[in-house]
Amino acid sequence: NMKAIIVVSLSVMVAVAWGFPQSTYTDKWDHINVDEILESQRLLRGYVDCLLDKGRCTPDGKDLKETLPDALENDCSKCTAKQKEASDKVIRHLINKQPDYWKELAVKYDPQNIYQEKYKDKIEEAKTH
């Protein structure tokens, strides 16, 4: 179960690759250490810049950009368990610690607030008060 939206991007970015027509995305990047990326401003900014078309993309960043629209549209239904777990972690991190990145990604990937509305309860649940 998908805990939120857009930042599925960052987690999926780190954990998902273009894997059609399989029933799940490839697990090729399931071993990536999401914590290491979230703890490094340089690495995190690199992924965000890639997703926002502001910088070069690593191969997994490029795959994420291609996969993200499908993951958002379909509640990450093709994500592996590790990808869903990574998505949840990334979403919580962005919402609570990097709200500017969250907003930038939302503007690009959800300009009409469709996913923000669709995942409203899960986004609220991810917020720490």
Side-chain angles (χ1 to χ4, degrees):
N1 53 187
M2 182 63 215
K3 294 274 195 254
I5 102 177
I6 299 207
V7 196
V8 166
S9 52
L10 284 177
S11 359
V12 176
M13 110 171 54
V14 202
V16 165
W18 196 241
F20 300 113
Q22 300 168 325
S23 60
T24 60
Y25 302 123
T26 179
D27 62 0
K28 178 173 165 177
W29 282 289
D30 278 6
H31 68 281
I32 290 177
N33 184 340
V34 173
D35 292 318
E36 181 182 1
I37 293 167
L38 295 177
E39 291 167 11
S40 166
Q41 277 302 311
R42 182 184 62 76
L43 291 175
L44 183 58
R45 185 77 236 180
Y47 279 106
V48 171
D49 284 348
C50 166
L51 288 171
L52 296 174
D53 299 318
K54 292 182 174 181
R56 292 182 49 222
C57 292
T58 61
D60 50 322
K62 180 180 178 288
D63 288 335
L64 171 66
K65 268 176 68 169
E66 293 173 349
T67 305
L68 181 58
D70 181 74
L72 288 172
E73 178 68 28
N74 297 300
D75 296 336
C76 209
S77 63
K78 294 179 187 175
C79 295
T80 66
K82 284 188 177 192
Q83 291 162 4
K84 288 179 182 181
E85 185 181 313
S87 289
D88 294 348
K89 184 179 282 193
V90 171
I91 289 161
R92 279 193 308 276
H93 178 86
L94 291 175
I95 287 172
N96 296 305
K97 297 183 177 172
Q98 301 285 343
D100 291 342
Y101 289 174
W102 177 262
K103 286 177 193 160
E104 286 182 81
L105 290 165
V107 166
K108 170 142 177 109
Y109 288 92
D110 191 21
Q112 297 175 337
N113 251 14
I114 295 166
Y115 301 118
Q116 294 276 354
E117 189 57 35
K118 181 176 181 179
Y119 300 116
K120 182 173 50 179
D121 293 344
K122 293 176 196 285
I123 292 169
E124 281 303 313
E125 186 182 304
K127 292 181 180 176
T128 55
H129 299 285

